[in-house]
Amino acid sequence: MCKSGPATYRTSLFAHLLIGLVALSGCFRDTTPTPDDPGVVFLDADLGHTEVLADTGGEVLARLVVRTGDVNQTERSPLNLALVIDTSGSMLGDPIDRAREASLSIVDLMREGDFLSVVAFHTETEVLLPSTEVRRGDLDEIREKIRGMEARGTTDLAGGLRIGLQQVMSHRSNESIDRIVLLGDGVPNDPNPIVPLAQQAGNSGVPIAALGLGLEYDETLMGQIAQLSRGHFEYVQEADQVASVFRDQLIRVERMLARNAVLSLQPGPGVEISEVLGQETPQGGGGLALNLGDLSEGDRRELVVRMTAPGRREGALVELLDARLQFQDNVNEAGSLRRTAFLGARATADTTRYEASRNAEVHEAAAALRAATATLTAIRMVRTGRIHDAAAFLENANQMIGDSSSEQAASIQRLRRAVEAMPANEPAPSSVDFEESVREAHDESMDVLGY
């Protein structure tokens, strides 16, 4: 495995190749020290096979792991938060009660100097509290506005997200930590604007914590919102769970080590990136830039890249991938820092030697990511009545996991059995057992994908 720590990076791909030829290594990193770099962000890289087949080439897997170390971070920057709450008719009864309680618990966790806005959406979107600096003397008024929320009308989720994002953007600064917390069931009047809004939030560096409430919340849409914004997804059954989830997110904020992390991938000559498993992968040749968002103490983000490599003569070193992680330091205020890794492999005509170079951990990671993605696709199919297609996807996901005893494997198998017992092409039943199977499999898959 190649591990990259603090460094300055002026080494070209050609220089990487020369050093790789001398070292006879599949991975290279520059290790020239940078004075103010705290050295708590790392980029590790390894290959599914350390050799590639000569002449024929073929698929190559590369695993990239972005991880962070430990550091004593006791202070955090001001939080700039928009609380966006579903107050539509579907939240009537216990869900709106829980939304009120949860919102009040979030207010109690804010500090002086933070910025808070409260947005409620039903048939229309209301700004109950414009983005305002938190002062302890004003909290009672904020609480009264939240207690006065009532469930009515339809669900203008798009309007709520749009206004919430506007409220956050109105008070963002170089120091602020910008976030949206969305509380609701995720069943909108019009779902079409939701995905572009989540993408806009992600591109603007505003992650959305999508917290599902209600009996019939849409885990698929809420999960998409979290994924596209580089945020967090969780289904919460009790109001005090929301406070716990939010408290965990605040701890992550307090231990933030890097901001706006972007992982750039540049394939070598003749190499094409087919897919980054579990990520939205733009089609077309050339490199990719993946927005990883902020990195906190103890984070670990695992990505597996599928590539196709051309055939090369036996013994040649095939340049496969340059990876560059760029981020803003949040520990020593050292500005923009980088980590790089280069991956290359020897071409061999010996199939036995090729098979012996297999890295089982990389292939297991790829299987888990594929299975998680397939499970989410199957759940979307279930929700639209495509039962036969969903069963096929889940069977495929189960085969990817193999004999694994993980929670993910158990939840996939449980969901598959529930789906296979349903009549084909009929809407999914709303039984408690079936819904638990869906939510269990969805939550496990989101965990594997890092949300």
Side-chain angles (χ1 to χ4, degrees), residues 333-347:
E333 298 183 357
S336 181
L337 300 176
R338 294 182 182 180
R339 305 286 184 263
T340 64
F342 164 72
L343 288 168
R346 290 287 183 189

Side-chain angles (χ1 to χ4, degrees), residues 80 110 172 191 197 202 253 272 278 305 316 349 401 421 425 434 444 446:
N80 177 24
M110 302 292 286
R172 74 181 312 183
L197 282 167
V253 166
E272 294 184 359
V305 184
I401 291 292
N425 300 318
F434 185 84
E444 292 294 341
M446 292 292 287

Side-chain angles (χ1 to χ4, degrees), residues 134-367:
V134 173
R135 301 188 186 281
R136 286 297 162 192
D138 300 333
L139 291 182
D140 287 343
E141 183 179 348
I142 296 172
R143 293 188 185 101
E144 283 305 310
K145 290 182 178 181
I146 290 173
R147 290 190 185 102
M149 294 188 309
E150 295 182 358
R152 64 186 187 279
T154 56
T155 311
D156 183 23
L157 174 53
L161 277 182
R162 185 180 298 109
I163 298 301
L165 183 57
Q166 289 173 2
Q167 291 295 316
V168 169
M169 298 298 287
S170 69
H171 274 115
R172 74 181 312 183
S173 67
N174 292 333
E175 293 77 31
S176 65
I177 299 170
D178 309 306
R179 297 288 188 272
I180 293 174
V181 172
L182 170 65
L183 292 169
D185 57 21
V187 184
N189 295 340
D190 182 5
N192 293 320
I194 305 299
V195 165
L197 282 167
Q199 289 173 326
Q200 182 184 346
N203 293 338
S204 301
V206 184
I208 301 171
L211 308 182
L213 293 169
L215 295 175
E216 296 183 346
Y217 83 99
D218 185 339
E219 71 285 323
T220 297
L221 183 58
M222 295 290 270
Q224 278 187 299
I225 291 170
Q227 283 182 287
L228 293 170
S229 67
R230 298 301 312 176
H232 177 73
F233 166 84
E234 195 148 341
Y235 171 59
V236 288
Q237 294 180 309
E238 303 295 338
D240 56 1
Q241 281 184 272
V242 175
S244 176
V245 170
F246 186 68
R247 191 176 292 109
D248 290 343
Q249 293 299 302
L250 282 181
I251 290 172
R252 285 181 48 77
V253 166
E254 290 169 354
R255 297 177 179 174
M256 187 186 301
L257 308 185
R259 297 181 183 225
N260 304 321
V262 175
L263 182 64
S264 299
L265 306 176
Q266 182 60 51
V271 177
E272 294 184 359
I273 296 175
S274 307
E275 179 185 11
V276 181
L277 297 176
Q279 304 285 323
E280 292 287 334
T281 310
Q283 298 300 309
L288 297 176
L290 303 173
N291 178 13
L292 302 185
D294 301 328
L295 302 174
S296 295
E297 186 178 50
D299 272 357
R300 188 180 188 278
R301 311 273 179 88
E302 187 174 58
L303 300 98
V304 176
V305 184
R306 289 179 56 228
M307 300 175 286
T308 54
R312 292 285 190 266
R313 292 182 179 180
E314 183 173 10
L317 179 63
V318 183
E319 305 168 47
L320 292 171
L321 187 69
D322 258 326
R324 182 182 71 178
L325 178 70
Q326 188 159 350
F327 56 92
Q328 295 295 317
D329 175 52
N330 200 52
V331 178
N332 291 344
E333 298 183 357
S336 181
L337 300 176
R338 294 182 182 180
R339 305 286 184 263
T340 64
F342 164 72
L343 288 168
R346 290 287 183 189
T348 179
D350 185 339
T351 56
T352 302
R353 182 172 172 174
Y354 167 75
E355 289 299 334
S357 76
R358 186 178 187 271
N359 185 331
E361 287 187 4
V362 174
H363 286 268
E364 288 168 6

